[in-house]
Amino acid sequence: MRDIIVRSHTHSATTGSRVIPHATPPTLLERAFRRINEWGGKLDEQQLPVTGPVLTALPITRKVHTKKRNPYPQKVVRRTTRGVQSAAHTARDELRKPGKKTAIIHTAALGAVFALMLSNTPWNRPSSPADTNTTSTARRYLPAIASDDRLNPLDAGKALAESGQSVRLYGWITPWNVSNPSDNIFNSTSAFWLTVGEDGMSMTPKASWSQWQSYKATYPSSETYLTVSGDPDHTYKALSDLDVQSTHILNLLTAVKEQGFTGIDINYESLGSENRDLFTGFIRNLTTVFHQEKLKVAVTLEARIANQVPMDWRSVGLIADEVRIMAYDYHGKSTGEPGPIAPLSWVAEVAAYAADTIDPKKLVIGLGNYGYDWSAPLTDADNWEGTGISYEQAITLSTEKEAPVIRQTGIDERGYDIGTIPVFTYTDTQGRLHQVWFEDATSIQEKLNAAAAYQLKGIMFWSVGAGDLALWQSRS
């Protein structure tokens, strides 16, 4: 116990160079604590000096239970008891003064809250054997593959490959690639064929419907969707005006029925998170009308992870029949710097978050099979400029420029494992440096395997008719 410091008034007398405070009569509580200190000092003086241990064997004795004797003299005990009682009475009188009890209660409450906060901090919690085996969940790089008996975590490479081989494949068909050869390996195809007009209601085909019908006859699939896209300023009109929206939905319904599609695929991008509720309402109204006609609704959404908030994935996943996540353009025209269009662990993280938010039976992960030719900035104030490039174009350019393709690996500045990405560099005729990052069968297959391990409905490619044919040939 620390000694109690006796208070004194500020009045003082001067003796020589020393300032001696005037003594003031101690209070009853102070006198009690002073006596306790004095008694404690006397008891300490009576203790024997400490000596070293005597190393001799003690005789075996039977333990006898006796009543413990108080080691302190009865006179000391009585004085101590009176002092404690006196201190208790003084404390009671102090509490009876206005405001004292409230202040003490508030102080005690704040102390209890502070103690509770400290007891719940991670550094104060007792460790347990289970804690040593836990890992951080702030970033999930690769999936935990234990939901399928075939997926043995002890043989993750084989398990991922088996998932990739068994997953259903989907593909977007574009007018500019529709005539390119393609193997009939897709369970579902979507015609990227319709554009929303400036009025938010009218629809314009990107090309002749006959081209799509010809492709469909050559490469039939179990399901076909009509993908509609448009400028965000135009699609916003269909979201914000119910009259425009009604006509918009009826026009979509007419196009789907006339061309014999299984359903519609809504691909309205760059609407911004501030319009997420409008978008959800539009999907609900659209799905109600299409379900009455026994037609399906798919929704294509931009990729996100847990700390980003574009569209309402959970609500859209509950309403629509299928949700497609575009896990590409991690580096794209708007990013201003070269790099992979889809790092491996980023794709896995997007798939993990999507599978936690949307029913995996409705979930499709979209992968890109293209790349970008990046031109170095002309000045320090400029950014890199990216131009889309297909696998075929990248291979041709590498041959023309005599630039060897290397397989780039590593961790990017955000902490993502990029996987294995084909890359090459060259200098153009104006002396400008270029970096070309693109996808081939190997880089796509490892991402396909990682995403498929979440037991999704399927994997979708942007787009069919382009990319490394070795990927399609391995599945045919």
Side-chain angles (χ1 to χ4, degrees), residues 6-14 18-25:
V6 180
R7 293 175 302 173
S8 64
H9 294 298
T10 56
H11 302 289
S12 60
T14 303
R18 298 176 57 192
V19 178
I20 303 174
H22 289 296
T24 56

Side-chain angles (χ1 to χ4, degrees), residues 7-61:
R7 293 175 302 173
S8 64
H9 294 298
T10 56
H11 302 289
S12 60
T14 303
T15 305
S17 60
R18 298 176 57 192
V19 178
I20 303 174
H22 289 296
T24 56
T27 64
L28 182 63
L29 180 60
E30 290 169 345
R31 289 200 302 272
F33 279 119
R34 179 184 294 174
R35 292 206 174 193
I36 292 174
N37 287 333
E38 292 173 355
W39 295 330
K42 291 179 180 179
L43 290 175
D44 287 339
E45 293 172 356
Q46 295 174 3
Q47 292 180 356
L48 295 176
V50 178
T51 61
V54 179
L55 303 179
T56 56
L58 298 177
I60 300 175
T61 58

Side-chain angles (χ1 to χ4, degrees), residues 194-341:
L194 210 58
T195 303
V196 178
E198 186 176 353
D199 58 4
M201 297 180 289
S202 59
M203 306 293 164
T204 305
K206 294 180 174 69
S208 170
W209 286 113
S210 61
Q211 291 180 266
W212 161 251
Q213 295 297 343
S214 176
Y215 178 90
K216 180 181 175 181
T218 306
Y219 304 105
S221 58
S222 58
E223 292 181 340
T224 58
Y225 287 82
L226 172 57
T227 300
V228 56
S229 61
D231 185 290
D233 289 336
H234 304 164
T235 56
Y236 172 76
K237 295 177 182 178
L239 270 58
S240 57
D241 189 316
L242 289 181
D243 291 333
V244 173
Q245 185 176 129
S246 298
T247 305
H248 179 92
I249 292 174
L250 290 177
N251 288 340
L252 292 177
L253 180 64
T254 300
V256 167
K257 295 176 70 174
E258 286 181 351
Q259 301 302 325
F261 287 99
T262 306
I264 191 74
D265 171 28
I266 301 298
N267 179 214
Y268 295 170
E269 302 178 27
S270 303
L271 288 169
S273 58
E274 64 273 13
N275 295 314
R276 64 201 308 258
D277 293 337
L278 285 176
F279 182 78
T280 301
F282 164 69
I283 296 300
R284 181 180 291 106
N285 295 338
L286 175 77
T287 304
T288 300
V289 173
F290 270 65
H291 281 181
Q292 290 174 351
E293 299 293 328
K294 309 300 182 185
L295 296 171
K296 295 184 177 181
V297 173
V299 182
T300 298
L301 298 175
E302 295 149 302
R304 62 169 288 190
I305 53 180
N307 63 345
Q308 298 170 333
V309 189
M311 297 299 101
D312 187 349
W313 281 22
R314 191 176 301 278
S315 296
V316 171
L318 292 172
I319 298 168
D321 301 298
E322 184 174 298
V323 180
R324 302 162 174 186
I325 308 300
M326 298 180 289
Y328 44 82
D329 268 4
Y330 178 90
H331 285 95
K333 292 182 179 180
S334 61
T335 59
E337 58 183 5
I341 65 167

Side-chain angles (χ1 to χ4, degrees), residues 407 420 422 439-447 449 468 470-471:
R407 295 197 168 275
T420 307
E439 301 282 359
D440 64 2
T442 301
S443 64
I444 293 177
Q445 187 66 55
E446 62 182 3
K447 285 186 272 284
N449 294 345
D468 190 350
L471 179 65

Side-chain angles (χ1 to χ4, degrees), residues 126-147:
S127 60
S128 64
D131 292 337
T132 60
N133 297 324
T134 58
T135 57
S136 174
T137 57
R139 186 184 295 283
R140 296 175 60 182
Y141 286 121
L142 293 177
I145 45 176
S147 58

